[in-house]
Amino acid sequence: MPKFFIKTYGCQMNERDSEQVAHSLTALGYERVGHESEADVVLLNTCSVRDMADQKALGKMGMLGRLAKERPHMVFGFLGCMAQARGAALLKNLPYVDLVVGTQKFHRVADYVEELVARKKNRISENAERPTPNAQRPIENRMDDLRLSIVDIEEEAGSQSTIRNQQLRASQATAFVSIMQGCNMHCTFCIVPQTRGAERSRSIDEIVAEVRDLVSRGVKEVTLLGQIVNLYGRHEFPKVDNNSPFVQLLESVHEVEGLERLRFTSPHPIGFRDDLIDAISRLPKLAEHVHLPLQSGSNKILKAMHRAYTAEKYLDLVERIRRARNGVAITTDIIVGFPGETDDDYRQTRDLAEEIQFDNAFVFRYSPRRDTPASEMPDQIDEHVKEHRNQDLLEVVNKSNRRILERLVGAQVEVLCEGPSKTNCARLMGRTRTNKIVVFPPSPKQRPTGESEELVGELVNVRIERANGFSLYGMPLLE
């Protein structure tokens, strides 16, 4: 059977979608490989949140043109948000692209790939049987014979219920579970409502069944994913005992036997009602980490972004979360250089970041996305100003992060071991309950029988010896 390669750009939701596609292809007998040069099928799962993500995916596919000429049997495809936004236009400058599939059709990718592989195989056989002059045409000219592209970016009712299966690596300790699709918030800078559609939620029973299956296969930690995850089910399901559908879901997943940790991302500040704050205080499997996008500390800019809260309300929410759960880590997203952002607006964002002392933050320079209101706003900010503000705010956040990490030196923390460190394969890495990265040397865990067991996928107590950059380093404390 053919071999396939998937490269993913963007968010955790895209990662989850790629694993769904990988699972469906593997179920048909396809083999997953680690590099496009080994593959018969190359799929790029794309992102459209920022222009840079678009350009990376387009640049990558452009580089694959050489493979397309050398190996005309290969299938090339775009999946995901950029595919949804651009559709058949992607074929114009990349004539060897065979497949363009949008965000509501990931469950159909394997069937489309099967069809394209069969078509190309048949067409190549037909070309081989043609008279010699035709068969000797340059391969660049013959590529038109092999191009039978499939484009599917149509909406599909019930597509949220197709998010079921995913491929797991050996000893995989963590997994993402998509609980909904789409977004109704229409922030003025964001293209997601156009690429992901309106909010649609899976049922609690479906989600719990998926979590149970993942835990049965060795997963210890699950992260629930949604474009605005804490608004899950608000249009489909009723409140019960004054608890929102999202809190009901948290409670149900929390009851899954064998699950050690539960996370969720990314929420919206307006979705943090009293019931969710209460859940954070009383559900022990919920990890002590909340990613809470701020975007701006200026009320004027927040209003222009259509964010529906003020800096004061955001600060109050952070304080309530911290009171609800001792030691909770707060991380965030911030955009600098939004249209109309003055020096004073930026100063308000900087001051709020200083006051809150985030554990970490993703700081982005505003990137205009076509068909969004912000792209048409006056007073677009010069790129040099954006870059200066970006670097300045990163320094604020990095100082805060370093102070928080240094306070953990000497402490004992619980780490879920995820596998070898990306920077040093001789060491292991994992994350604390507050989502801090910890690197430590491997050491076999002794069972009563004396049989050793690798630590990958295990919860390990680690004493922190030093903090360096964005990571902690320590020694495992084993019985």
Side-chain angles (χ1 to χ4, degrees), residues 123 203 260:
R123 186 59 64 89
S203 73
E260 299 284 351

Side-chain angles (χ1 to χ4, degrees), residues 173-231:
T174 66
F176 297 117
V177 174
S178 291
I179 67 172
M180 60 192 297
Q181 292 179 331
C183 180
N184 291 0
M185 295 305 296
H186 296 283
C187 298
T188 57
F189 55 81
C190 187
I191 197 174
V192 167
Q194 290 96 301
T195 59
R196 290 274 178 178
E199 290 176 14
R200 306 166 317 278
S201 299
R202 300 171 68 190
S203 73
I204 289 178
D205 288 346
E206 283 180 11
I207 296 164
V208 170
E210 182 177 348
V211 173
R212 283 203 185 100
D213 175 65
L214 292 169
V215 171
S216 74
R217 292 191 278 160
V219 168
K220 301 289 180 62
E221 174 185 297
V222 161
T223 301
L224 304 180
L225 295 179
Q227 211 62 54
I228 298 185
V229 69
N230 53 340
L231 297 183

